[in-house]
C-alpha cells in the first residue's frame, strides 16, 4: 500500500502580505508554523479586532472528514487530527508524535508507549483504550489499512498498547505514518460535524466541498497555537485562487511546486 510520508503537498504558498514561506512543511506544521510567525496576516473580517485569524485556500476539496477513509487527508492537514508517529523529512526517519516510544525486536510483538496528558477536543483523555478503538475502527472502515497494518491483536493497558502482527513485519511502525490511521475519539458519531481529534485546532463547522471553520484548542498537548481561528476552504481553479489572494479575500493559497518559484525568492543552495 502506498502510504503518505507526511510532507504536505501544500509545500509552497503565497500571501498578500510580505509574509512568504518557501519551506518543505509537514502537513500539521503548516498551521502551527503560521501561528508562530511574528507577523501573522489577518483576514479583512478580523482586522478591527485582536483575534488572529488565517484564511487558507487549498486546491482539493473533500465531502467527508472521516480520517479513516478520506483520501484528501484534510483532517490532518488542517491540524484536527494526528497520528502515532510521523516522518522527519530532514532525517528521513519515523519519529514519535502521539506515541512516545515503541519496541518490536522480533517484528511481531510490538509495545507502543503513548504520551501522557493528551486530551481529545471534547476533553476526554487519550489513553490506550481510546487509541485501540481508533485503530480498530480504521481497520474496519478501510480494507487497505487493514491489509497494510497486518494486525492480528491489540491489547491496551493504561497508556500502553501491545500489538501483534500476523507475520514478522519490521516496517509496522512506518505504516502508522498514514493519515488514515489518525487517532480520533470514536465515541463521537458524526465525524463531519463532531470530528474529535488531538490536534492544535478543533472543528467548529464543516460545509462539505466548501470549507472548514476551525478554532484553537487551548488544551493542546504541545502548546496552544497563537492563532485564534482558521478558515480552510477549497477551490480547484488555480486562477480563482490567485484572484482571491490578490483581492484580499484569503491570506494564503496553495501554489503547485512547479509554479512556486514565481512567489518564492529561491536562492542557490536553498531547499
Amino acid at each position: 500500500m502506498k502510504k503518505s510520508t507526511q510532507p504536505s503537498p501544500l509545500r509552497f504558498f503565497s500571501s498578500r502580505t510580505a509574509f512568504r514561506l518557501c519551506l518543505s512543511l509537514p502537513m500539521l506544521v503548516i498551521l502551527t508554523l503560521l501561528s508562530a510567525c511574528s507577523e501573522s496576516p489577518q483576514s479583512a473580517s478580523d482586522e478591527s479586532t485582536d483575534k488572529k485569524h488565517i484564511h487558507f485556500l487549498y486546491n482539493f476539496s473533500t465531502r467527508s472528514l472521516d480520517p479513516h477513509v478520506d483520501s484528501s487527508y484534510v483532517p490532518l492537514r488542517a491540524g484536527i487530527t494526528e497520528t502515532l508517529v510521523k516522518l522527519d523529512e530532514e532525517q528521513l526517519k519515523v519519529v514519535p508524535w502521539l506515541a512516545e516510544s515503541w519496541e518490536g525486536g522480533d517484528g511481531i510483538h510490538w509495545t507502543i508507549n503513548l504520551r501522557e496528558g493528551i486530551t481529545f477536543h471534547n476533553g476526554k483523555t487519550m489513553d490506550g483504550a481510546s487509541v485501540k478503538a481508533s485503530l480498530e475502527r480504521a481497520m474496519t472502515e478501510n480494507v487497505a489499512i487493514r491489509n497494510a497494518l497486518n494486525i492480528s491483536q491489540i491489547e491496551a493497558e493504561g497508556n500502553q498498547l501491545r500489538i501483534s502482527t500476523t507475520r514478522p513485519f519490521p516496517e509496522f511502525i512506518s505504516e502508522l505514518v498514514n493519515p488514515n490511521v489518525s487517532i480520533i475519539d470514536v465515541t463521537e458519531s458524526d465525524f463531519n460535524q463532531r470530528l474529535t481529534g488531538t490536534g492544535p485546532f478543533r472543528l467548529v463547522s464543516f460545509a462539505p466541498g466548501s470549507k472548514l471553520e476551525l478554532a484553537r484548542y487551548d488544551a493542546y498537548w504541545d502548546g496552544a497555537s497563537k492563532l485564534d481561528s482558521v478558515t480552510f476552504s477549497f477551490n480547484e481553479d488555480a486562477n480563482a485562487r490567485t484572484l482571491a489572494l490578490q483581492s484580499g479575500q484569503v491570506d494564503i493559497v496553495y501554489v503547485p511546486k512547479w509554479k512556486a518559484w514565481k512567489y518564492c525568492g529561491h536562492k542557490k543552495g536553498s531547499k
Side-chain angles (χ1 to χ4, degrees):
M1 173 185 179
K2 183 178 180 181
K3 57 181 180 297
S4 168
T5 56
Q6 288 286 6
S8 172
L10 319 181
R11 299 168 75 95
F12 296 92
F13 36 93
S14 55
S15 166
R16 63 186 170 91
T17 69
F19 174 88
R20 291 183 178 181
L21 294 176
C22 298
L23 302 172
S24 175
L25 299 176
M27 295 178 183
L28 175 62
V29 173
I30 294 168
L31 294 181
T32 53
L33 176 60
L34 292 180
S35 70
C37 292
S38 58
E39 182 187 356
S40 296
Q42 293 182 316
S43 295
S45 60
D46 292 287
E47 288 177 350
S48 61
T49 73
D50 294 329
K51 296 291 185 180
K52 295 180 180 178
H53 177 83
I54 288 291
H55 189 161
F56 185 88
L57 184 56
Y58 185 52
N59 57 339
F60 296 119
S61 64
T62 183
R63 302 198 65 81
S64 170
L65 290 183
D66 187 338
H68 295 156
V69 297
D70 174 38
S71 61
S72 67
Y73 308 147
V74 165
L76 192 143
R77 297 181 197 277
I80 302 172
T81 64
E82 299 168 308
T83 49
L84 292 175
V85 296
K86 61 183 177 180
L87 180 67
D88 183 317
E89 284 192 298
E90 292 185 359
Q91 301 182 56
L92 294 180
K93 68 177 185 179
V94 173
V95 296
W97 204 357
L98 295 179
E100 188 171 48
S101 62
W102 56 85
E103 297 177 356
D106 63 359
I108 298 178
H109 303 97
W110 297 85
T111 300
I112 299 178
N113 299 304
L114 306 174
R115 294 184 189 274
E116 296 185 357
I118 296 179
T119 58
F120 292 106
H121 297 153
N122 55 13
K124 294 181 181 179
T125 299
M126 186 202 79
D127 57 11
S130 58
V131 173
K132 175 179 183 288
S134 183
L135 291 174
E136 289 177 337
R137 182 185 183 276
M139 291 187 292
T140 298
E141 297 295 324
N142 192 325
V143 175
I145 290 297
R146 182 169 68 245
N147 293 337
L149 295 181
N150 290 291
I151 291 176
S152 63
Q153 184 179 27
I154 305 177
E155 296 179 345
E157 182 177 351
N159 267 30
Q160 187 178 86
L161 294 175
R162 292 187 295 277
I163 299 176
S164 299
T165 55
T166 58
R167 58 179 175 81
F169 190 30
E171 302 87 4
F172 171 67
I173 293 297
S174 66
E175 292 292 340
L176 298 177
V177 167
N178 195 314
N180 287 145
V181 196
S182 290
I183 304 304
I184 60 173
D185 180 6
V186 300
T187 64
E188 298 287 358
S189 57
D190 185 356
F191 296 117
N192 272 348
Q193 296 299 330
R194 295 183 61 85
L195 176 63
T196 305
T198 60
F201 293 95
R202 60 180 178 81
L203 179 66
V204 175
S205 65
F206 173 53
S210 179
K211 68 177 180 177
L212 294 81
E213 294 292 348
L214 310 170
R216 178 180 61 216
Y217 181 47
D218 291 328
Y220 180 53
W221 64 273
D222 201 25
S225 169
K226 292 180 181 179
L227 287 175
D228 294 283
S229 59
V230 175
T231 299
F232 199 94
S233 57
F234 314 101
N235 194 319
E236 297 182 1
D237 187 325
N239 291 328
R241 293 197 303 273
T242 300
L243 290 173
L245 181 69
Q246 293 173 341
S247 66
Q249 296 177 33
V250 300
D251 299 303
I252 302 169
V253 299
Y254 168 80
V255 179
K257 184 176 181 179
W258 64 269
K259 204 173 183 180
W261 316 116
K262 175 180 177 181
Y263 299 95
C264 298
H266 184 70
K267 297 181 180 179
K268 186 176 182 181
S270 63
K271 293 183 179 180

